[in-house]
Amino acid sequence: MDEKFWYLKNCDLFERLSPEHVARLEAVSQAKQLARGSLVYMPSEASESVFLLTSGRVKLYHITSEGKQAVLALIDPGELFGELTIFDGGQREEFAEAMEKSTLIRIPRDEITRLMEEHAGVALGVTRLMGLRRRRIERRLKSLLFRSNRERLVHLLMELAGKYGQRTADGVTLGIKLSHQELASIIGSTRETVTVVLGELQNEGSLTIKRRQIILRDMDGMARSIEMNPPHVPVTGQVFPAVRRPAGLET
């Protein structure tokens, strides 16, 4: 089976399409590999496509008037992004950049629009995706407005635990490695402040850091400190269940 075909068929958004529709989608789509730091798109570019990430990780961000990055979202394998083009077809409003070596599939806007018209499930899936992204951004905005730097960082660590966490003998290990600068860009702070707060949390025994790997030793206590319910973290399982690669497929 063609690898691109497999990814499209196993994407949650397209998994209920008939083989004929998936084949049509594959015929007009293009696979692309990106090195770490490569831009997928930037503001003011024409938004003529959406993208399905198949491996690696992509971040969406704005550049503030002070020249700082403000991260809007982290895109993981199996996720669609650049979806606003479906509705307005105008110019991009944010940057999309590969955080590591990544592979994605470029899908023309016209084909996604056609599938949404033909399949209610695709239309509903895109709508849910946009709603979920909007809620995440709204929660982060509220956190930026009403919380201290420490509270913002703890809140982010809880979000990451809910999405990437796995329980181990040492605590909850985050299955994503982010630099202090990347953490700062997400919570609207500075690298120096993030370094200080992480040091405080480490000294308190709330977490440990080993080679950029964050292990939450007292996730429940950290959640209580910001009046938040601890996220559900499985004992075992894949970090990215949305992409289930068959044996023999190489990234």
Side-chain angles (χ1 to χ4, degrees):
M1 180 186 293
D2 186 278
E3 185 169 351
K4 183 171 63 173
F5 183 99
W6 184 89
Y7 274 122
L8 290 170
K9 183 62 179 176
N10 284 272
C11 173
D12 289 344
L13 191 62
F14 306 129
E15 64 181 357
R16 296 182 181 176
L17 295 180
S18 67
E20 292 76 18
H21 281 96
V22 175
R24 189 184 80 192
L25 184 61
E26 182 198 29
V28 298
S29 301
Q30 296 177 326
K32 184 177 182 180
Q33 291 189 336
L34 296 172
R36 181 180 179 221
S38 299
L39 288 175
V40 182
Y41 58 75
M42 58 192 301
S44 300
E45 285 188 4
S47 54
E48 300 173 345
S49 307
V50 298
F51 299 90
L52 171 65
L53 186 66
T54 61
S55 68
R57 182 169 292 115
V58 168
K59 62 180 174 181
L60 307 181
Y61 64 92
H62 283 301
I63 298 294
T64 68
S65 57
E66 293 82 19
K68 297 180 180 179
Q69 273 192 24
V71 176
L72 304 173
L74 302 180
I75 308 300
D76 295 311
E79 293 188 40
L80 203 71
F81 65 99
E83 71 280 355
L84 289 179
T85 183
I86 298 171
F87 298 98
D88 56 32
Q91 296 180 330
R92 305 287 187 188
E93 296 182 354
E94 74 281 350
F95 291 87
E97 178 183 321
M99 298 179 68
E100 55 191 65
K101 181 180 178 181
S102 302
T103 304
L104 52 81
I105 297 175
R106 175 184 174 275
I107 305 172
R109 171 179 178 266
D110 290 346
E111 182 60 28
I112 287 289
T113 303
R114 182 180 176 186
L115 285 174
M116 290 177 65
E117 292 173 348
E118 296 174 347
H119 297 271
V122 175
L124 182 60
V126 171
T127 302
R128 284 177 173 170
L129 171 66
M130 296 181 68
L132 177 60
R133 293 242 170 94
R134 178 178 176 180
R135 286 197 299 273
R136 286 176 178 171
I137 292 174
E138 287 177 346
R139 285 198 299 266
R140 191 162 295 148
L141 179 59
K142 290 177 182 177
S143 177
L144 292 177
L145 291 174
F146 303 115
R147 296 180 186 270
S148 65
N149 282 302
R150 179 187 173 104
E151 290 170 334
R152 278 183 259 164
L153 183 57
V154 171
H155 187 271
L156 173 61
L157 293 175
M158 295 302 101
E159 283 189 356
L160 296 176
K163 189 172 184 180
Y164 304 104
Q166 290 182 301
R167 292 190 183 275
T168 65
D170 295 325
V172 174
T173 299
L174 302 186
I176 179 173
K177 293 184 179 181
L178 297 172
S179 68
H180 291 190
Q181 183 58 63
E182 288 168 334
L183 292 170
S185 296
I186 296 174
I187 66 171
S189 186
T190 64
R191 178 182 58 79
E192 294 79 8
T193 298
V194 166
T195 298
V196 169
V197 174
L198 286 174
E200 292 174 351
L201 292 168
Q202 220 172 170
N203 291 336
E204 295 165 9
S206 296
L207 58 79
T208 57
I209 303 176
K210 299 178 180 178
R211 298 180 181 178
R212 288 178 56 190
Q213 187 90 60
I214 297 177
I215 303 171
L216 307 180
R217 302 183 66 86
D218 183 18
M219 184 183 70
D220 291 356
M222 293 173 69
R224 286 195 300 270
S225 73
I226 58 171
E227 300 180 347
M228 176 182 179
N229 292 325
H232 171 69
V233 178
V235 176
T236 59
Q238 296 297 319
V239 177
F240 306 122
V243 178
R244 304 173 294 277
R245 297 178 62 84
L249 281 184
E250 299 296 333
T251 299

